[in-house]
Amino acid sequence: MENGRCKYGQRYNGKGRISSYADYIQLDICGLRAIEIVQRYFLYDINKPILLLGDYTNEERKASEDDMLDAERLYDLKDSIKSLRAFGAELMGLTMNPVSREGLERFGGSKFTFREYVDKVSEILQIPVLVKNTANKELLLSEPEELIEFSKTNKITLDHNLLIQACNYSMDKYLETFSKINIENIQESYIRTVSKKWSHPTKDKPTKTYDKKIVESIKLSKSIPWATFVLDDNIGYTQFDSMVKSMIGKNQDSKE
């Protein structure tokens, strides 16, 4: 917590600019090799603390969540982290997407739990690891009960939108699940773009009503240390500025 409030993070991909209101930058390193990660650090001219976003399914980068089960990938990330620190980067942690059930089983999941594996990843990389919930049933932490259990011992990143999907768009189920998650282990929460076209329920997107409740739940969760804004590329830093100023009660124009 900073000055009695959570820290606000901007997911940045080189478009637009880094907002002066951002307390930290989330850097997407999915599928990138060590040299590419360091190049982006310099190319983006990041002068704020960094929260790394790990591998997820991305066809363009030929990456998936299960890459985190590959020893070569882990040691490549270890080299990346070591290099970034050598160049002066302040690294807050790594947000990791959960691996698949089949992938963990093939890796030897009968001999250890996912929780134990995450702890091992953190030990290898020498960085705090947060695990984000998902709605993809092929992946771990996609069932509300799994997320509740995992949060008892490990730090998590809570994506409210995906939790609603995992609860089959039942707001009652969502609120029940949220109330049972160990809030002390929610290190990060995602704040997503409120899209104007979400005017009615669909299978893949929550409604405006859901989104408003998500925002309200985030406001109530003042003890969550980090809030990362996941905004559309065509919106960029301008909406980030306005949203953060609104949340921290600042109405003056941008500092820049």
Side-chain angles (χ1 to χ4, degrees):
M1 305 291 282
E2 182 177 281
N3 299 325
R5 67 165 176 82
C6 71
K7 294 183 178 181
Y8 299 117
Q10 177 186 4
R11 180 178 290 183
Y12 185 67
N13 63 359
K15 298 180 181 180
R17 64 165 171 78
I18 292 177
S19 171
S20 59
Y21 287 99
D23 295 307
Y24 64 91
I25 296 300
Q26 185 178 67
L27 179 62
D28 185 348
I29 62 172
C30 171
L32 301 179
R33 312 316 301 180
I35 185 64
E36 295 175 305
I37 293 172
V38 174
Q39 285 175 339
R40 293 199 180 201
Y41 168 69
F42 283 106
L43 181 64
Y44 295 171
D45 192 24
I46 301 174
N47 60 355
K48 295 177 182 287
I50 297 172
L51 178 61
L52 302 173
L53 175 63
D55 296 338
Y56 53 88
T57 298
N58 187 312
E59 294 184 4
E60 183 179 342
R61 298 186 188 181
K62 298 179 180 179
S64 80
E65 292 83 358
D66 283 355
D67 289 346
M68 292 298 291
L69 294 169
D70 182 77
E72 182 179 349
R73 176 58 174 160
L74 287 180
Y75 281 98
D76 190 46
L77 290 177
K78 183 176 182 179
D79 287 342
S80 305
I81 290 169
K82 183 178 180 180
S83 296
L84 287 172
R85 284 175 171 155
F87 286 116
E90 179 185 343
L91 301 181
M92 301 166 62
L94 169 72
T95 299
M96 174 179 168
N97 290 280
V99 301
S100 72
R101 303 176 195 284
E102 290 187 1
L104 186 65
E105 186 64 27
R106 287 195 304 269
F107 189 80
S110 60
K111 298 179 181 179
F112 52 82
T113 65
F114 179 56
R115 179 184 299 113
E116 292 170 331
Y117 183 73
V118 171
D119 291 341
K120 189 64 177 179
V121 170
S122 181
E123 179 184 335
I124 292 172
L125 300 183
Q126 291 295 292
I127 195 171
V129 173
L130 325 174
V131 183
K132 185 174 76 67
N133 61 298
T134 180
N136 183 345
K137 300 303 182 183
E138 295 181 359
L139 305 180
L140 294 162
L141 303 195
S142 58
E143 297 291 343
E145 294 74 18
E146 289 180 322
L147 183 62
I148 292 169
E149 190 64 27
F150 189 81
S151 73
K152 292 179 180 179
T153 56
N154 288 71
K155 296 291 185 181
I156 66 171
T157 291
L158 185 62
D159 187 320
H160 294 268
N161 286 41
L162 292 182
L163 180 56
I164 282 181
Q165 292 181 41
C167 293
N168 296 317
Y169 297 97
S170 166
M171 187 53 63
D172 289 338
K173 179 66 174 178
Y174 160 75
L175 293 174
E176 177 188 359
T177 302
F178 184 66
S179 69
K180 293 180 179 179
I181 294 174
N182 180 8
I183 196 167
E184 292 183 358
N185 275 336
I186 305 178
Q187 184 67 30
E188 176 192 18
S189 64
Y190 274 7
I191 299 178
R192 294 185 176 274
T193 302
V194 180
S195 174
K196 293 182 181 179
K197 63 184 178 181
W198 292 355
S199 58
H200 57 82
T202 63
K203 291 183 179 180
D204 60 341
K205 292 180 180 178
T207 63
K208 277 186 176 181
T209 300
Y210 282 175
D211 206 89
K212 288 178 181 178
K213 290 187 177 181
I214 290 171
V215 173
E216 288 304 314
S217 67
I218 292 174
K219 289 181 179 179
L220 291 173
S221 305
K222 295 181 179 179
S223 60
I224 299 177
W226 306 336
T228 300
F229 288 71
V230 184
L231 306 176
D232 293 340
D233 290 341
N234 63 340
I235 295 176
Y237 68 87
T238 54
Q239 192 184 41
F240 177 89
D241 284 356
S242 62
M243 291 177 73
V244 171
K245 283 191 288 184
S246 174
M247 294 181 78
I248 63 180
K250 291 185 177 182
N251 297 314
Q252 69 267 33
D253 293 334
S254 174
K255 297 177 183 177
E256 297 184 1

